[in-house]
Amino acid sequence: MDITAMFGRAVAEFDARVRQIGDHQWQAATPDEDWSVRDLVNHVAGEDLWAPPLLAGSTIAEVGDRFEGDVLGSEPKAAWTAASAAAVRAVQADGAMDRIVHLSFGDFPGSEYTLQLFADHLIHAWDGPAQPGISNPTAPARRRQGAVNMRIPPLSPGS
């Protein structure tokens, strides 16, 4: 399983949706009643911002709260593009899949952390910016079934 390629494809799928968001759609609802389109993109961009320091060996405490709150600013598409590109580069870096990542619930190989990121992008590519005028070519039920059928190894501390 090429986790790096899987992650890159999931980022590209989410990116394809983000690029279609019109200025008037950022505050629109998503299937998650607590999140607007902007909230959802902010969540995924925030996750991507964590990837470079965590895959480089930083701890949660060392990263601190720098990615709390609104990470999209006044140019949400540009902020998303920068965050996702940095995450892809971090995942592709030499040794990233084998390096230990220090998460709030334990230490894991970079490959397992990247699978978590992959799943987040995959899920939000289909439940995210599902607004009129935003193309989402694969039927939601089919994508949901694909996620259920993924064979992602369970995370276990210290593995």
CSV table of all heavy atoms in Angstrom, one decimal, residues 23-71:
chain,number,residue,atom,x,y,z
A,23,ASP,N,-17.3,32.6,-3.6
A,23,ASP,CA,-17.2,33.6,-2.4
A,23,ASP,C,-18.5,33.5,-1.6
A,23,ASP,O,-18.4,33.7,-0.4
A,23,ASP,CB,-16.9,35.0,-2.9
A,23,ASP,CG,-15.5,35.1,-3.5
A,23,ASP,OD1,-14.7,34.3,-3.2
A,23,ASP,OD2,-15.3,36.1,-4.3
A,24,HIS,N,-19.6,33.3,-2.2
A,24,HIS,CA,-20.9,33.3,-1.5
A,24,HIS,C,-21.2,32.0,-0.8
A,24,HIS,O,-22.2,31.9,-0.1
A,24,HIS,CB,-22.0,33.6,-2.5
A,24,HIS,CG,-22.2,32.6,-3.6
A,24,HIS,ND1,-21.2,32.4,-4.6
A,24,HIS,CD2,-23.1,31.6,-3.7
A,24,HIS,CE1,-21.6,31.4,-5.3
A,24,HIS,NE2,-22.7,30.9,-4.9
A,25,GLN,N,-20.3,31.0,-1.0
A,25,GLN,CA,-20.6,29.6,-0.4
A,25,GLN,C,-19.9,29.3,0.9
A,25,GLN,O,-20.1,28.3,1.5
A,25,GLN,CB,-20.3,28.6,-1.5
A,25,GLN,CG,-21.2,28.6,-2.7
A,25,GLN,CD,-20.8,27.7,-3.7
A,25,GLN,OE1,-19.7,27.7,-4.1
A,25,GLN,NE2,-21.7,26.8,-4.2
A,26,TRP,N,-19.0,30.2,1.3
A,26,TRP,CA,-18.1,29.8,2.5
A,26,TRP,C,-19.0,29.7,3.8
A,26,TRP,O,-18.6,28.9,4.6
A,26,TRP,CB,-17.0,30.9,2.7
A,26,TRP,CG,-16.0,30.7,1.7
A,26,TRP,CD1,-15.8,31.5,0.5
A,26,TRP,CD2,-14.9,29.7,1.6
A,26,TRP,NE1,-14.7,31.0,-0.2
A,26,TRP,CE2,-14.1,29.9,0.5
A,26,TRP,CE3,-14.5,28.7,2.5
A,26,TRP,CZ2,-13.0,29.2,0.1
A,26,TRP,CZ3,-13.4,27.9,2.2
A,26,TRP,CH2,-12.7,28.2,1.0
A,27,GLN,N,-20.0,30.4,3.9
A,27,GLN,CA,-20.9,30.2,5.1
A,27,GLN,C,-22.0,29.2,5.0
A,27,GLN,O,-22.8,29.1,5.9
A,27,GLN,CB,-21.4,31.6,5.5
A,27,GLN,CG,-20.3,32.6,5.9
A,27,GLN,CD,-19.4,32.0,7.0
A,27,GLN,OE1,-19.8,31.4,8.0
A,27,GLN,NE2,-18.1,32.2,6.8
A,28,ALA,N,-22.1,28.6,3.8
A,28,ALA,CA,-23.1,27.6,3.6
A,28,ALA,C,-23.0,26.4,4.5
A,28,ALA,O,-21.9,26.1,5.0
A,28,ALA,CB,-23.1,27.1,2.1
A,29,ALA,N,-24.1,25.7,4.7
A,29,ALA,CA,-24.1,24.5,5.6
A,29,ALA,C,-23.4,23.3,5.0
A,29,ALA,O,-23.2,23.3,3.7
A,29,ALA,CB,-25.5,24.1,6.0
A,30,THR,N,-23.0,22.4,5.8
A,30,THR,CA,-22.4,21.1,5.3
A,30,THR,C,-23.3,20.0,6.0
A,30,THR,O,-24.1,20.3,6.8
A,30,THR,CB,-21.0,20.9,5.8
A,30,THR,OG1,-20.9,20.8,7.2
A,30,THR,CG2,-20.1,22.0,5.3
A,31,PRO,N,-23.1,18.8,5.6
A,31,PRO,CA,-23.9,17.7,6.3
A,31,PRO,C,-23.7,17.7,7.8
A,31,PRO,O,-24.5,17.2,8.5
A,31,PRO,CB,-23.3,16.4,5.6
A,31,PRO,CG,-22.9,16.9,4.3
A,31,PRO,CD,-22.3,18.2,4.5
A,32,ASP,N,-22.5,18.2,8.3
A,32,ASP,CA,-22.3,18.3,9.7
A,32,ASP,C,-23.0,19.6,10.2
A,32,ASP,O,-22.5,20.7,9.8
A,32,ASP,CB,-20.8,18.4,10.1
A,32,ASP,CG,-20.5,18.5,11.6
A,32,ASP,OD1,-21.4,19.0,12.3
A,32,ASP,OD2,-19.5,18.0,12.0
A,33,GLU,N,-24.1,19.6,10.9
A,33,GLU,CA,-24.9,20.8,11.2
A,33,GLU,C,-24.1,21.8,12.0
A,33,GLU,O,-24.5,23.0,12.0
A,33,GLU,CB,-26.2,20.4,11.9
A,33,GLU,CG,-26.0,19.7,13.2
A,33,GLU,CD,-27.3,19.1,13.7
A,33,GLU,OE1,-28.0,18.5,12.9
A,33,GLU,OE2,-27.5,19.2,14.9
A,34,ASP,N,-23.0,21.4,12.6
A,34,ASP,CA,-22.2,22.4,13.4
A,34,ASP,C,-21.2,23.2,12.6
A,34,ASP,O,-20.6,24.1,13.1
A,34,ASP,CB,-21.5,21.7,14.5
A,34,ASP,CG,-22.5,21.1,15.6
A,34,ASP,OD1,-23.6,21.7,15.7
A,34,ASP,OD2,-22.2,20.1,16.2
A,35,TRP,N,-21.0,22.8,11.3
A,35,TRP,CA,-19.9,23.3,10.5
A,35,TRP,C,-20.4,24.0,9.2
A,35,TRP,O,-21.2,23.3,8.5
A,35,TRP,CB,-18.9,22.3,10.1
A,35,TRP,CG,-17.9,22.0,11.2
A,35,TRP,CD1,-17.7,22.6,12.4
A,35,TRP,CD2,-16.9,21.0,11.1
A,35,TRP,NE1,-16.7,22.0,13.0
A,35,TRP,CE2,-16.1,21.0,12.3
A,35,TRP,CE3,-16.5,20.1,10.1
A,35,TRP,CZ2,-15.1,20.2,12.5
A,35,TRP,CZ3,-15.5,19.2,10.3
A,35,TRP,CH2,-14.7,19.3,11.5
A,36,SER,N,-19.9,25.2,8.9
A,36,SER,CA,-20.1,25.7,7.6
A,36,SER,C,-19.1,25.2,6.7
A,36,SER,O,-18.1,24.5,7.1
A,36,SER,CB,-20.0,27.3,7.7
A,36,SER,OG,-18.7,27.6,8.0
A,37,VAL,N,-19.2,25.5,5.4
A,37,VAL,CA,-18.1,25.1,4.5
A,37,VAL,C,-16.8,25.7,4.9
A,37,VAL,O,-15.8,25.0,4.9
A,37,VAL,CB,-18.4,25.6,3.0
A,37,VAL,CG1,-17.3,25.4,2.1
A,37,VAL,CG2,-19.7,24.9,2.5
A,38,ARG,N,-16.7,26.9,5.4
A,38,ARG,CA,-15.5,27.5,5.8
A,38,ARG,C,-15.0,26.7,7.1
A,38,ARG,O,-13.8,26.5,7.2
A,38,ARG,CB,-15.7,29.0,6.2
A,38,ARG,CG,-14.4,29.6,6.6
A,38,ARG,CD,-14.6,31.1,7.0
A,38,ARG,NE,-13.3,31.6,7.5
A,38,ARG,CZ,-12.4,32.3,6.7
A,38,ARG,NH1,-12.7,32.5,5.5
A,38,ARG,NH2,-11.3,32.7,7.3
A,39,ASP,N,-15.8,26.4,8.0
A,39,ASP,CA,-15.4,25.7,9.2
A,39,ASP,C,-14.8,24.3,8.8
A,39,ASP,O,-13.7,23.9,9.4
A,39,ASP,CB,-16.6,25.4,10.1
A,39,ASP,CG,-17.2,26.6,10.7
A,39,ASP,OD1,-16.5,27.6,10.9
A,39,ASP,OD2,-18.4,26.5,11.1
A,40,LEU,N,-15.4,23.7,7.8
A,40,LEU,CA,-14.9,22.4,7.4
A,40,LEU,C,-13.5,22.5,6.7
A,40,LEU,O,-12.6,21.8,7.0
A,40,LEU,CB,-15.8,21.7,6.5
A,40,LEU,CG,-15.4,20.3,6.1
A,40,LEU,CD1,-16.5,19.3,6.4
A,40,LEU,CD2,-15.0,20.3,4.7
A,41,VAL,N,-13.4,23.5,5.8
A,41,VAL,CA,-12.1,23.7,5.2
A,41,VAL,C,-11.0,24.1,6.2
A,41,VAL,O,-9.9,23.6,6.1
A,41,VAL,CB,-12.2,24.7,4.0
A,41,VAL,CG1,-10.8,25.0,3.4
A,41,VAL,CG2,-13.1,24.1,2.9
A,42,ASN,N,-11.4,24.9,7.1
A,42,ASN,CA,-10.5,25.3,8.2
A,42,ASN,C,-10.0,24.1,9.0
A,42,ASN,O,-8.8,24.0,9.3
A,42,ASN,CB,-11.2,26.3,9.1
A,42,ASN,CG,-10.3,27.0,10.1
A,42,ASN,OD1,-9.4,27.8,9.8
A,42,ASN,ND2,-10.4,26.6,11.4
A,43,HIS,N,-10.9,23.2,9.3
A,43,HIS,CA,-10.6,22.0,10.0
A,43,HIS,C,-9.5,21.2,9.3
A,43,HIS,O,-8.5,20.8,9.8
A,43,HIS,CB,-11.8,21.1,10.3
A,43,HIS,CG,-11.5,19.7,10.6
A,43,HIS,ND1,-11.0,19.3,11.8
A,43,HIS,CD2,-11.6,18.6,9.9
A,43,HIS,CE1,-10.8,18.0,11.8
A,43,HIS,NE2,-11.2,17.5,10.7
A,44,VAL,N,-9.7,20.9,8.0
A,44,VAL,CA,-8.8,20.1,7.2
A,44,VAL,C,-7.5,20.9,7.0
A,44,VAL,O,-6.4,20.3,7.1
A,44,VAL,CB,-9.4,19.7,5.9
A,44,VAL,CG1,-8.5,18.9,5.0
A,44,VAL,CG2,-10.7,18.9,6.1
A,45,ALA,N,-7.5,22.2,6.7
A,45,ALA,CA,-6.3,23.0,6.6
A,45,ALA,C,-5.5,22.9,7.9
A,45,ALA,O,-4.3,22.8,7.9
A,45,ALA,CB,-6.6,24.4,6.2
A,46,GLY,N,-6.2,23.1,9.0
A,46,GLY,CA,-5.6,23.0,10.3
A,46,GLY,C,-4.9,21.7,10.6
A,46,GLY,O,-3.8,21.6,11.1
A,47,GLU,N,-5.5,20.6,10.2
A,47,GLU,CA,-4.9,19.3,10.3
A,47,GLU,C,-3.6,19.2,9.4
A,47,GLU,O,-2.6,18.7,9.8
A,47,GLU,CB,-5.9,18.2,9.8
A,47,GLU,CG,-7.0,18.0,10.8
A,47,GLU,CD,-6.6,17.4,12.1
A,47,GLU,OE1,-5.7,16.6,12.2
A,47,GLU,OE2,-7.2,17.9,13.1
A,48,ASP,N,-3.7,19.8,8.2
A,48,ASP,CA,-2.6,19.8,7.3
A,48,ASP,C,-1.4,20.6,7.9
A,48,ASP,O,-0.2,20.3,7.7
A,48,ASP,CB,-2.9,20.3,5.9
A,48,ASP,CG,-3.7,19.3,5.1
A,48,ASP,OD1,-3.8,18.1,5.6
A,48,ASP,OD2,-4.2,19.6,4.0
A,49,LEU,N,-1.7,21.7,8.6
A,49,LEU,CA,-0.7,22.5,9.2
A,49,LEU,C,0.1,21.8,10.3
A,49,LEU,O,1.3,22.0,10.5
A,49,LEU,CB,-1.3,23.8,9.8
A,49,LEU,CG,-1.8,24.8,8.7
A,49,LEU,CD1,-2.5,25.9,9.4
A,49,LEU,CD2,-0.6,25.4,7.9
A,50,TRP,N,-0.6,20.9,11.0
A,50,TRP,CA,0.1,20.1,12.0
A,50,TRP,C,1.1,19.1,11.4
A,50,TRP,O,2.0,18.7,12.0
A,50,TRP,CB,-1.0,19.3,12.8
A,50,TRP,CG,-1.6,20.1,13.9
A,50,TRP,CD1,-2.8,20.8,13.8
A,50,TRP,CD2,-1.2,20.2,15.2
A,50,TRP,NE1,-3.1,21.4,15.0
A,50,TRP,CE2,-2.1,21.0,15.9
A,50,TRP,CE3,-0.1,19.7,15.9
A,50,TRP,CZ2,-2.0,21.4,17.2
A,50,TRP,CZ3,0.1,20.1,17.3
A,50,TRP,CH2,-0.9,20.9,17.9
A,51,ALA,N,0.8,18.6,10.2
A,51,ALA,CA,1.6,17.5,9.6
A,51,ALA,C,3.1,17.8,9.5
A,51,ALA,O,3.9,17.0,10.0
A,51,ALA,CB,1.1,17.1,8.2
A,52,PRO,N,3.6,19.0,9.0
A,52,PRO,CA,5.0,19.2,8.9
A,52,PRO,C,5.7,19.1,10.3
A,52,PRO,O,6.7,18.4,10.4
A,52,PRO,CB,5.1,20.5,8.2
A,52,PRO,CG,3.9,20.7,7.4
A,52,PRO,CD,2.8,20.0,8.3
A,53,PRO,N,5.3,19.8,11.3
A,53,PRO,CA,6.1,19.7,12.5
A,53,PRO,C,6.0,18.3,13.2
A,53,PRO,O,6.9,17.8,13.7
A,53,PRO,CB,5.5,20.8,13.4
A,53,PRO,CG,4.2,21.2,12.9
A,53,PRO,CD,4.2,20.8,11.4
A,54,LEU,N,4.8,17.7,13.1
A,54,LEU,CA,4.7,16.4,13.8
A,54,LEU,C,5.5,15.3,13.0
A,54,LEU,O,6.1,14.5,13.6
A,54,LEU,CB,3.2,16.0,13.8
A,54,LEU,CG,2.3,16.8,14.8
A,54,LEU,CD1,0.9,16.3,14.8
A,54,LEU,CD2,2.9,16.8,16.2
A,55,LEU,N,5.5,15.4,11.7
A,55,LEU,CA,6.3,14.4,10.9
A,55,LEU,C,7.8,14.7,11.0
A,55,LEU,O,8.6,13.8,10.7
A,55,LEU,CB,5.8,14.4,9.5
A,55,LEU,CG,4.5,13.7,9.2
A,55,LEU,CD1,3.9,14.0,7.8
A,55,LEU,CD2,4.6,12.1,9.4
A,56,ALA,N,8.1,15.9,11.5
A,56,ALA,CA,9.5,16.2,11.7
A,56,ALA,C,10.0,15.9,13.1
A,56,ALA,O,11.1,16.0,13.5
A,56,ALA,CB,9.8,17.7,11.4
A,57,GLY,N,9.0,15.4,13.9
A,57,GLY,CA,9.4,14.9,15.3
A,57,GLY,C,9.0,15.8,16.4
A,57,GLY,O,9.2,15.5,17.6
A,58,SER,N,8.3,16.9,16.1
A,58,SER,CA,7.9,17.8,17.2
A,58,SER,C,6.7,17.2,18.0
A,58,SER,O,6.0,16.3,17.5
A,58,SER,CB,7.3,19.2,16.6
A,58,SER,OG,8.4,19.9,16.1
A,59,THR,N,6.6,17.6,19.3
A,59,THR,CA,5.5,17.1,20.1
A,59,THR,C,4.3,18.1,20.0
A,59,THR,O,4.5,19.2,19.5
A,59,THR,CB,5.9,16.9,21.6
A,59,THR,OG1,6.2,18.3,22.1
A,59,THR,CG2,7.2,16.0,21.7
A,60,ILE,N,3.2,17.6,20.5
A,60,ILE,CA,2.0,18.5,20.5
A,60,ILE,C,2.3,19.7,21.4
A,60,ILE,O,2.0,20.9,21.0
A,60,ILE,CB,0.8,17.7,21.2
A,60,ILE,CG1,0.5,16.5,20.4
A,60,ILE,CG2,-0.4,18.6,21.4
A,60,ILE,CD1,-0.4,16.7,19.2
A,61,ALA,N,3.0,19.5,22.5
A,61,ALA,CA,3.4,20.7,23.4
A,61,ALA,C,4.3,21.7,22.6
A,61,ALA,O,4.2,22.9,22.8
A,61,ALA,CB,4.0,20.2,24.6
A,62,GLU,N,5.2,21.1,21.9
A,62,GLU,CA,6.2,22.0,21.1
A,62,GLU,C,5.4,22.8,20.1
A,62,GLU,O,5.8,24.0,19.8
A,62,GLU,CB,7.3,21.2,20.5
A,62,GLU,CG,8.3,20.6,21.5
A,62,GLU,CD,9.2,19.6,21.0
A,62,GLU,OE1,8.9,19.0,19.9
A,62,GLU,OE2,10.2,19.3,21.6
A,63,VAL,N,4.4,22.2,19.4
A,63,VAL,CA,3.7,22.9,18.4
A,63,VAL,C,2.8,24.0,19.1
A,63,VAL,O,2.6,25.1,18.6
A,63,VAL,CB,2.8,22.0,17.6
A,63,VAL,CG1,1.9,22.7,16.6
A,63,VAL,CG2,3.7,21.0,16.8
A,64,GLY,N,2.3,23.6,20.2
A,64,GLY,CA,1.5,24.6,21.0
A,64,GLY,C,0.1,24.9,20.3
A,64,GLY,O,-0.5,24.0,19.7
A,65,ASP,N,-0.3,26.1,20.5
A,65,ASP,CA,-1.6,26.5,20.0
A,65,ASP,C,-1.6,27.3,18.7
A,65,ASP,O,-2.5,28.0,18.3
A,65,ASP,CB,-2.4,27.3,21.0
A,65,ASP,CG,-1.7,28.6,21.4
A,65,ASP,OD1,-0.7,28.9,20.9
A,65,ASP,OD2,-2.3,29.3,22.3
A,66,ARG,N,-0.5,27.2,18.0
A,66,ARG,CA,-0.3,28.1,16.8
A,66,ARG,C,-1.3,27.8,15.7
A,66,ARG,O,-1.5,28.6,14.8
A,66,ARG,CB,1.1,28.0,16.3
A,66,ARG,CG,1.5,26.7,15.6
A,66,ARG,CD,3.0,26.8,15.1
A,66,ARG,NE,3.8,25.9,15.9
A,66,ARG,CZ,4.9,25.4,15.6
A,66,ARG,NH1,5.4,25.8,14.4
A,66,ARG,NH2,5.6,24.6,16.4
A,67,PHE,N,-2.0,26.6,15.7
A,67,PHE,CA,-2.9,26.3,14.6
A,67,PHE,C,-4.4,26.3,15.2
A,67,PHE,O,-5.3,25.7,14.6
A,67,PHE,CB,-2.6,24.9,14.0
A,67,PHE,CG,-1.2,24.8,13.5
A,67,PHE,CD1,-0.4,23.8,13.8
A,67,PHE,CD2,-0.7,25.8,12.6
A,67,PHE,CE1,0.9,23.7,13.3
A,67,PHE,CE2,0.6,25.7,12.1
A,67,PHE,CZ,1.4,24.7,12.5
A,68,GLU,N,-4.6,26.9,16.3
A,68,GLU,CA,-5.9,27.0,16.9
A,68,GLU,C,-6.7,28.1,16.2
A,68,GLU,O,-6.1,29.1,15.7
A,68,GLU,CB,-5.8,27.4,18.4
A,68,GLU,CG,-5.2,26.3,19.2
A,68,GLU,CD,-6.0,25.0,19.3
A,68,GLU,OE1,-7.3,25.1,19.4
A,68,GLU,OE2,-5.5,23.9,19.2
A,69,GLY,N,-8.0,28.0,16.1
A,69,GLY,CA,-8.8,29.1,15.5
A,69,GLY,C,-8.8,29.1,14.0
A,69,GLY,O,-8.6,28.1,13.4
A,70,ASP,N,-9.0,30.3,13.5
A,70,ASP,CA,-9.1,30.4,12.0
A,70,ASP,C,-7.7,30.4,11.4
A,70,ASP,O,-7.0,31.4,11.6
A,70,ASP,CB,-9.8,31.8,11.7
A,70,ASP,CG,-10.0,32.0,10.3
A,70,ASP,OD1,-9.9,31.1,9.5
A,70,ASP,OD2,-10.2,33.2,9.9
A,71,VAL,N,-7.5,29.4,10.6
A,71,VAL,CA,-6.2,29.3,9.9
A,71,VAL,C,-6.3,29.8,8.5
A,71,VAL,O,-5.3,29.8,7.8
A,71,VAL,CB,-5.6,27.9,10.0
A,71,VAL,CG1,-5.3,27.5,11.5
A,71,VAL,CG2,-6.4,26.9,9.3
